[in-house]
Amino acid sequence: MENRGTINKYISWIKHDSASFTKKNSLIIFALIVLVIVSTTLDNFLTVGNLMNIITQIGATALMAFGLTSCLIVKGTDLSLPAVMALSAVLGADVMVKSGNVFLGILVMLCTGILCGLVNGIAVARFNMVPMIVTLSMQVVAQGISVWYTKSESIIGIPESFTGFVNYKIFGYVSTSVVIMIGCAVVLHLLLKKTAFGRSMFAIGTNIETAKVSGIHTRRINISAYVISGLCAGIAGLLMCARLKTAGPAMGPSTLFIDIAIAAVVGGARLEGGHGSVIGTLFGATFVACISNIMTLLNVEFFMTMIFKGFIVVLVIWLDALKSSTNSVR
């Protein structure tokens, strides 16, 4: 009975947050509905195989978007996510290939992400450096290390025990990677919404001076937000490495950040801090995955897809600013 009560409590939390997200982002939901309706004109979009492909592709993008959301909540940002993902995958994959130890390779991936996030967090919170400059520098450093370490070549020969497990289709449809992503989403959602740590993150993003007066360890919380972001990048590297069955610097292009940004911004995160939702970010990742898939089915060129996505980011930020100005007038 106690277990049933706990499950019901979690379900009520998710329903409440989903309702809140729906109320705040009704226009974006309407846009997604229109997108799906338009996609019905495509013969291949609503096939089971294509929909499962979209769900699988969401994994790495959603995880990095979760990391970006955690930084945006505390009024920061993390431009280094794609490069850190690639570096984590490269180092972990190399360890797997050379040692044959899958567990050690996974540990290297996660630790690499955490270390990069820790460096970003200390630079921002301890030395009061600008988040954009710090994480942009980390992007360059991580990308440079990846290229130097691999000599611009991809690492092949990833153990089948690793790729087979992560890509295993549960009931023949949903891969293990999707389960991992959803598990991370649930944990981070509970951390942000149901713990004192999560409330402290939102308090810092809303007003850091008030948070300090309230006794919140702002530096510690800020650093933790970037560590979470780095860890998410490490897990994303794990999923991407398993899906591609290879690892290299090219798997983390800077253009990937636009997808991450769309997922976070559409999900309700704001540049001024104090706002963000894991459920919303997951919705945003689904939104951007559908756009990419539809553009591919329509044979739209890559650069035109990027232009369209850029307009979406600007549109969402403009609508958010418009909504904020309207609320302030009231």
Side-chain angles (χ1 to χ4, degrees):
M1 294 296 292
E2 291 182 2
N3 291 337
R4 182 177 297 178
T6 302
I7 292 173
N8 289 335
K9 185 186 296 185
Y10 287 155
I11 291 175
S12 66
W13 284 345
I14 293 173
K15 285 182 178 179
H16 176 269
D17 288 335
S18 299
S20 176
F21 169 75
T22 302
K23 182 178 179 181
K24 293 178 181 178
N25 299 274
S26 56
L27 184 60
I28 300 301
I29 292 175
F30 174 74
L32 182 58
I33 293 173
V34 171
L35 194 67
V36 172
I37 292 174
V38 171
S39 68
T40 57
T41 60
L42 301 173
D43 295 334
N44 299 327
F45 183 79
L46 293 178
T47 61
V48 174
N50 186 59
L51 294 178
M52 290 300 104
N53 182 48
I54 291 174
I55 293 173
T56 302
Q57 291 178 347
I58 290 172
T61 302
L63 278 162
M64 288 186 283
F66 295 158
L68 179 60
T69 298
S70 70
C71 293
L72 290 174
I73 288 173
V74 295
K75 206 173 182 179
T77 189
D78 191 350
L79 304 179
S80 67
L81 283 160
V84 171
M85 176 202 70
L87 178 62
S88 300
V90 162
L91 297 181
D94 191 56
V95 169
M96 287 184 191
V97 171
K98 290 180 178 179
S99 69
N101 192 325
V102 172
F103 176 78
L104 182 60
I106 292 174
L107 189 62
V108 169
M109 290 181 186
L110 301 183
C111 289
T112 300
I114 291 172
L115 180 60
C116 291
L118 182 62
V119 172
N120 284 337
I122 291 175
V124 171
R126 180 68 181 83
F127 297 103
N128 298 317
M129 298 176 70
V130 180
M132 182 177 292
I133 302 301
V134 169
T135 56
L136 183 60
S137 300
M138 177 59 75
Q139 176 193 344
V140 175
V141 170
Q143 187 73 20
I145 294 174
S146 297
V147 173
W148 166 77
Y149 190 83
T150 61
K151 296 180 175 59
S152 299
E153 296 179 356
S154 297
I155 296 174
I156 59 176
I158 310 295
E160 181 63 30
S161 57
F162 170 68
T163 58
F165 172 75
V166 178
N167 296 322
Y168 177 75
K169 302 287 186 180
I170 302 173
F171 302 119
Y173 292 104
V174 181
S175 69
T176 308
S177 62
V178 176
V179 176
I180 294 173
M181 182 270 291
I182 293 175
C184 292
V186 171
V187 171
L188 188 56
H189 172 76
L190 295 177
L191 182 67
L192 291 178
K193 298 295 185 179
K194 310 303 174 184
T195 67
F197 172 81
R199 289 190 290 272
S200 297
M201 287 181 63
F202 284 99
I204 290 171
T206 302
N207 192 318
I208 191 170
E209 296 303 324
T210 302
K212 289 179 180 179
V213 173
S214 302
I216 296 174
H217 297 285
T218 55
R219 283 183 178 174
R220 190 181 304 169
I221 300 297
N222 256 315
I223 291 174
S224 298
Y226 284 92
V227 169
I228 290 172
S229 183
L231 176 59
C232 287
I235 300 173
L238 184 155
L239 299 186
M240 187 71 80
C241 177
R243 185 162 68 89
L244 299 178
K245 298 183 180 180
T246 185
M251 67 190 297
S254 57
T255 52
L256 180 59
F257 187 79
I258 192 69
D259 288 356
I260 301 168
I262 292 175
V265 173
V266 167
R270 297 181 182 176
L271 299 179
E272 63 265 27
H275 297 271
S277 164
V278 173
I279 292 176
T281 300
L282 184 57
F283 177 91
T286 305
F287 179 75
V288 71
C290 288
I291 290 175
S292 298
N293 186 263
I294 290 172
M295 292 295 189
T296 300
L297 294 176
L298 290 174
N299 294 318
V300 177
E301 295 185 21
F302 176 75
F303 73 91
M304 289 301 298
T305 302
M306 295 304 298
I307 292 173
F308 182 68
K309 289 178 180 178
F311 275 122
I312 291 175
V313 174
V314 173
L315 176 62
V316 172
I317 293 176
W318 175 70
L319 291 174
D320 186 64
L322 187 64
K323 186 189 299 183
S324 298
S325 62
T326 302
N327 291 336
S328 62
V329 170
R330 292 178 181 177

